[in-house]
Amino acid sequence: MKLENSVVLITGANRGIGLAFARELLARGARKVYAAARDPASVTLPGVEALRLDVTKPEEVAAAAQLASDVTLVINNAGIAQPGGFLAADSDAVARRIFETNFFGVLNMSKAFAPVLKANGGGALLNVLSVASWVNGGELAAYSASKSAAWSLTNALRHELAGQKTQVLGLHMAYVDTDLTRGFEVPKSSAEEIVQRALDGLEAGADEVLADVLTQQVRQGLTAQRPVYLPQAH
Protein backbone atom coordinates (compact mmCIF):
# COMPACT_ATOMS: atom_id res chain seq x y z
CA MET A 1 0.00 0.00 0.00
CA LYS A 2 1.22 3.51 -0.82
CA LEU A 3 0.86 6.02 2.00
CA GLU A 4 1.16 9.17 -0.08
CA ASN A 5 -2.33 10.62 -0.54
CA SER A 6 -3.85 7.97 1.75
CA VAL A 7 -6.68 8.63 4.21
CA VAL A 8 -5.95 7.08 7.60
CA LEU A 9 -7.84 6.48 10.82
CA ILE A 10 -5.78 5.73 13.95
CA THR A 11 -7.34 4.61 17.21
CA GLY A 12 -5.72 5.79 20.43
CA ALA A 13 -4.02 8.56 18.47
CA ASN A 14 -3.66 11.13 21.23
CA ARG A 15 -0.39 9.77 22.67
CA GLY A 16 2.32 7.12 22.47
CA ILE A 17 2.47 4.91 19.40
CA GLY A 18 -0.78 6.31 18.01
CA LEU A 19 0.56 9.86 18.10
CA ALA A 20 3.80 8.70 16.48
CA PHE A 21 1.78 7.07 13.69
CA ALA A 22 -0.11 10.31 13.09
CA ARG A 23 3.07 12.37 12.88
CA GLU A 24 4.82 9.93 10.55
CA LEU A 25 1.84 9.56 8.25
CA LEU A 26 1.58 13.31 7.81
CA ALA A 27 5.30 13.39 7.05
CA ARG A 28 4.82 10.65 4.43
CA GLY A 29 2.14 12.60 2.60
CA ALA A 30 -1.14 11.21 3.89
CA ARG A 31 -3.98 13.35 2.54
CA LYS A 32 -6.01 13.11 5.75
CA VAL A 33 -5.44 11.60 9.18
CA TYR A 34 -8.36 10.94 11.53
CA ALA A 35 -6.89 10.92 15.04
CA ALA A 36 -9.38 8.99 17.14
CA ALA A 37 -9.51 9.08 20.93
CA ARG A 38 -12.11 8.69 23.65
CA ASP A 39 -11.64 12.40 24.38
CA PRO A 40 -11.06 14.28 21.11
CA ALA A 41 -9.91 17.33 23.09
CA SER A 42 -6.80 15.32 24.02
CA VAL A 43 -5.74 15.30 20.34
CA THR A 44 -3.52 18.36 19.92
CA LEU A 45 -1.37 17.48 16.88
CA PRO A 46 -1.78 20.10 14.12
CA GLY A 47 -2.94 18.82 10.76
CA VAL A 48 -5.12 15.91 11.92
CA GLU A 49 -8.89 15.64 12.29
CA ALA A 50 -9.80 14.70 15.86
CA LEU A 51 -12.51 12.07 16.17
CA ARG A 52 -14.39 10.86 19.25
CA LEU A 53 -14.09 7.08 19.41
CA ASP A 54 -14.24 4.50 22.17
CA VAL A 55 -13.63 1.19 20.39
CA THR A 56 -15.59 -0.70 23.05
CA LYS A 57 -18.80 1.18 22.12
CA PRO A 58 -20.36 -0.19 18.92
CA GLU A 59 -22.44 2.95 18.40
CA GLU A 60 -19.31 5.13 18.36
CA VAL A 61 -17.54 2.72 16.02
CA ALA A 62 -20.51 2.80 13.64
CA ALA A 63 -20.62 6.60 13.77
CA ALA A 64 -16.89 6.77 13.01
CA ALA A 65 -17.28 4.48 9.99
CA GLN A 66 -20.08 6.66 8.66
CA LEU A 67 -18.15 9.89 9.20
CA ALA A 68 -14.78 8.61 7.94
CA SER A 69 -16.17 7.01 4.78
CA ASP A 70 -13.08 8.00 2.77
CA VAL A 71 -10.62 5.92 4.81
CA THR A 72 -8.07 3.72 3.00
CA LEU A 73 -6.02 2.62 6.04
CA VAL A 74 -7.23 1.73 9.54
CA ILE A 75 -4.63 1.43 12.31
CA ASN A 76 -6.02 -0.46 15.30
CA ASN A 77 -3.68 0.92 17.93
CA ALA A 78 -5.89 1.53 21.00
CA GLY A 79 -4.93 -0.82 23.81
CA ILE A 80 -4.84 -1.14 27.58
CA ALA A 81 -2.87 -3.23 30.07
CA GLN A 82 -2.86 -4.01 33.77
CA PRO A 83 -0.30 -5.98 35.78
CA GLY A 84 -1.39 -9.18 37.45
CA GLY A 85 -1.72 -12.90 37.02
CA PHE A 86 -4.73 -15.10 36.30
CA LEU A 87 -4.96 -16.31 39.91
CA ALA A 88 -5.48 -12.81 41.30
CA ALA A 89 -8.86 -12.25 42.91
CA ASP A 90 -9.97 -9.75 40.28
CA SER A 91 -8.47 -11.50 37.25
CA ASP A 92 -11.80 -12.27 35.60
CA ALA A 93 -12.90 -8.63 35.70
CA VAL A 94 -9.47 -7.44 34.55
CA ALA A 95 -9.43 -9.91 31.66
CA ARG A 96 -12.91 -8.92 30.50
CA ARG A 97 -12.01 -5.23 30.56
CA ILE A 98 -8.76 -5.74 28.66
CA PHE A 99 -10.32 -8.04 26.07
CA GLU A 100 -13.08 -5.49 25.42
CA THR A 101 -10.46 -3.04 24.12
CA ASN A 102 -7.60 -5.21 22.86
CA PHE A 103 -9.65 -7.90 21.12
CA PHE A 104 -13.27 -6.90 20.72
CA GLY A 105 -12.28 -3.31 19.93
CA VAL A 106 -10.19 -4.55 17.00
CA LEU A 107 -13.04 -6.83 15.93
CA ASN A 108 -15.58 -3.99 16.13
CA MET A 109 -13.38 -1.71 14.05
CA SER A 110 -12.57 -4.37 11.48
CA LYS A 111 -16.21 -5.29 10.90
CA ALA A 112 -17.29 -1.66 10.65
CA PHE A 113 -14.51 -0.51 8.32
CA ALA A 114 -14.13 -3.56 6.05
CA PRO A 115 -16.96 -2.30 3.79
CA VAL A 116 -15.43 1.20 3.79
CA LEU A 117 -12.04 -0.14 2.73
CA LYS A 118 -13.66 -2.28 0.03
CA ALA A 119 -15.55 0.70 -1.36
CA ASN A 120 -12.29 2.68 -1.49
CA GLY A 121 -10.30 0.05 -3.40
CA GLY A 122 -9.22 -2.35 -0.64
CA GLY A 123 -6.69 -0.40 1.41
CA ALA A 124 -5.26 -1.91 4.55
CA LEU A 125 -5.71 -2.79 8.21
CA LEU A 126 -2.70 -2.45 10.51
CA ASN A 127 -3.16 -4.09 13.91
CA VAL A 128 -0.77 -3.13 16.70
CA LEU A 129 0.05 -6.37 18.51
CA SER A 130 3.01 -7.34 20.71
CA VAL A 131 5.74 -9.86 21.41
CA ALA A 132 3.29 -10.84 24.17
CA SER A 133 1.21 -12.42 21.40
CA TRP A 134 3.56 -15.41 21.78
CA VAL A 135 4.80 -15.35 25.41
CA ASN A 136 3.02 -15.00 28.72
CA GLY A 137 5.07 -14.92 31.90
CA GLY A 138 2.09 -14.08 34.11
CA GLU A 139 3.09 -10.50 34.96
CA LEU A 140 0.69 -9.11 32.35
CA ALA A 141 -1.41 -12.24 32.02
CA ALA A 142 -4.65 -10.83 30.62
CA TYR A 143 -2.85 -8.38 28.34
CA SER A 144 -0.74 -11.16 26.85
CA ALA A 145 -3.79 -13.36 26.34
CA SER A 146 -5.64 -10.51 24.63
CA LYS A 147 -2.73 -9.94 22.24
CA SER A 148 -2.61 -13.66 21.43
CA ALA A 149 -6.31 -13.49 20.58
CA ALA A 150 -5.79 -10.33 18.53
CA TRP A 151 -2.97 -12.02 16.61
CA SER A 152 -5.30 -14.91 15.76
CA LEU A 153 -7.97 -12.41 14.74
CA THR A 154 -5.46 -10.60 12.52
CA ASN A 155 -4.49 -13.85 10.79
CA ALA A 156 -8.13 -14.74 10.17
CA LEU A 157 -8.95 -11.28 8.83
CA ARG A 158 -6.05 -11.54 6.37
CA HIS A 159 -7.77 -14.51 4.76
CA GLU A 160 -11.30 -13.10 4.99
CA LEU A 161 -10.34 -9.76 3.44
CA ALA A 162 -8.03 -11.06 0.72
CA GLY A 163 -10.92 -11.22 -1.74
CA GLN A 164 -11.51 -7.48 -1.47
CA LYS A 165 -7.76 -6.77 -1.79
CA THR A 166 -7.37 -5.43 1.75
CA GLN A 167 -3.84 -5.84 3.12
CA VAL A 168 -3.78 -6.94 6.79
CA LEU A 169 -0.56 -6.35 8.71
CA GLY A 170 0.26 -7.42 12.26
CA LEU A 171 2.83 -5.27 14.08
CA HIS A 172 4.74 -7.00 16.87
CA MET A 173 7.26 -5.37 19.20
CA ALA A 174 8.58 -5.62 22.75
CA TYR A 175 8.71 -2.68 25.16
CA VAL A 176 8.19 0.77 23.69
CA ASP A 177 8.83 4.01 25.56
CA THR A 178 5.23 5.15 26.16
CA ASP A 179 2.94 5.87 29.10
CA LEU A 180 1.90 2.21 29.06
CA THR A 181 5.42 1.06 30.01
CA ARG A 182 6.43 3.95 32.27
CA GLY A 183 6.84 1.71 35.33
CA PHE A 184 8.97 -0.95 33.64
CA GLU A 185 12.76 -0.68 34.04
CA VAL A 186 13.64 -2.52 30.83
CA PRO A 187 15.20 -1.63 27.47
CA LYS A 188 12.66 0.17 25.29
CA SER A 189 12.41 1.19 21.66
CA SER A 190 11.18 4.63 20.72
CA ALA A 191 7.65 4.90 19.33
CA GLU A 192 9.07 6.70 16.31
CA GLU A 193 11.37 3.87 15.21
CA ILE A 194 8.66 1.25 15.71
CA VAL A 195 6.23 3.27 13.59
CA GLN A 196 8.78 3.84 10.82
CA ARG A 197 9.44 0.10 10.57
CA ALA A 198 5.73 -0.67 10.59
CA LEU A 199 4.95 1.75 7.78
CA ASP A 200 7.96 0.61 5.75
CA GLY A 201 6.60 -2.94 6.02
CA LEU A 202 3.11 -1.83 5.05
CA GLU A 203 4.38 -0.09 1.92
CA ALA A 204 6.45 -3.17 1.06
CA GLY A 205 3.31 -5.33 1.15
CA ALA A 206 4.24 -7.29 4.29
CA ASP A 207 1.79 -9.35 6.35
CA GLU A 208 3.79 -8.98 9.56
CA VAL A 209 6.46 -6.68 10.99
CA LEU A 210 8.78 -7.81 13.79
CA ALA A 211 9.94 -4.37 14.82
CA ASP A 212 12.82 -5.06 17.22
CA VAL A 213 15.51 -7.63 17.93
CA LEU A 214 13.83 -9.23 20.96
CA THR A 215 10.63 -9.80 19.00
CA GLN A 216 12.59 -11.33 16.14
CA GLN A 217 14.39 -13.67 18.56
CA VAL A 218 11.16 -14.76 20.25
CA ARG A 219 9.45 -15.43 16.94
CA GLN A 220 12.44 -17.42 15.72
CA GLY A 221 12.34 -19.45 18.93
CA LEU A 222 8.76 -20.51 18.20
CA THR A 223 10.03 -22.55 15.27
CA ALA A 224 12.85 -24.22 17.21
CA GLN A 225 12.76 -27.97 17.65
CA ARG A 226 11.15 -28.89 20.96
CA PRO A 227 9.61 -32.10 22.31
CA VAL A 228 5.88 -32.41 21.63
CA TYR A 229 3.38 -35.26 21.81
CA LEU A 230 1.63 -36.03 18.54
CA PRO A 231 -1.18 -38.56 18.82
CA GLN A 232 -0.70 -41.49 16.50
CA ALA A 233 -3.48 -42.65 14.20
CA HIS A 234 -4.67 -46.21 14.82
Side-chain angles (χ1 to χ4, degrees):
M1 175 180 182
K2 297 302 180 186
L3 295 173
E4 187 174 2
N5 207 39
S6 61
V7 178
V8 188
L9 186 147
I10 309 163
T11 66
N14 56 327
R15 60 182 182 175
I17 294 173
L19 177 58
F21 266 119
R23 286 180 175 143
E24 184 65 17
L25 284 159
L26 289 174
R28 294 193 186 207
R31 176 159 50 91
K32 184 188 296 185
V33 175
Y34 293 100
R38 283 175 292 183
D39 177 11
S42 65
V43 176
T44 59
L45 178 66
V48 302
E49 185 171 328
L51 181 66
R52 181 182 302 278
L53 179 57
D54 182 336
V55 298
T56 70
K57 296 181 177 179
E59 66 277 10
E60 291 193 10
V61 173
Q66 186 172 10
L67 175 66
S69 60
D70 51 350
V71 160
T72 59
L73 169 61
V74 174
I75 299 179
N76 286 309
N77 166 72
I80 59 174
Q82 181 174 327
F86 282 129
L87 298 183
D90 62 346
S91 65
D92 53 343
V94 170
R96 290 177 191 278
R97 183 174 67 86
I98 290 175
F99 266 76
E100 280 297 326
T101 297
N102 296 2
F103 177 79
F104 288 106
V106 177
L107 178 59
N108 292 341
M109 289 291 295
S110 301
K111 291 175 69 175
F113 278 92
V116 175
L117 294 172
K118 181 180 181 180
N120 294 326
L125 283 174
L126 193 163
N127 293 340
V128 178
L129 304 171
S130 171
V131 69
S133 303
W134 307 311
V135 292
N136 192 339
E139 300 88 354
L140 292 165
Y143 172 81
S144 297
S146 73
K147 289 300 185 180
S148 293
W151 177 47
S152 183
L153 170 62
T154 300
N155 293 336
L157 289 171
R158 187 174 300 116
H159 292 284
E160 292 191 55
L161 295 175
Q164 68 173 49
K165 301 188 187 310
T166 296
Q167 180 184 355
V168 179
L169 185 148
L171 168 63
H172 299 267
M173 65 280 181
Y175 292 102
V176 183
D177 191 11
T178 66
D179 291 345
L180 193 65
T181 63
R182 183 174 294 162
F184 295 90
E185 296 299 325
V186 294
K188 302 173 187 178
S189 301
S190 71
E192 289 74 20
E193 62 186 340
I194 295 298
V195 162
Q196 288 166 8
R197 291 166 187 167
L199 295 179
D200 287 347
L202 186 72
E203 290 203 291
D207 291 339
E208 208 162 55
V209 170
L210 311 180
D212 55 41
V213 173
L214 177 59
T215 301
Q216 294 163 14
Q217 291 172 340
V218 169
R219 184 60 187 275
Q220 184 178 16
L222 293 178
T223 63
Q225 186 67 34
R226 63 186 64 192
V228 295
Y229 172 72
L230 298 177
Q232 301 299 309
H234 295 289

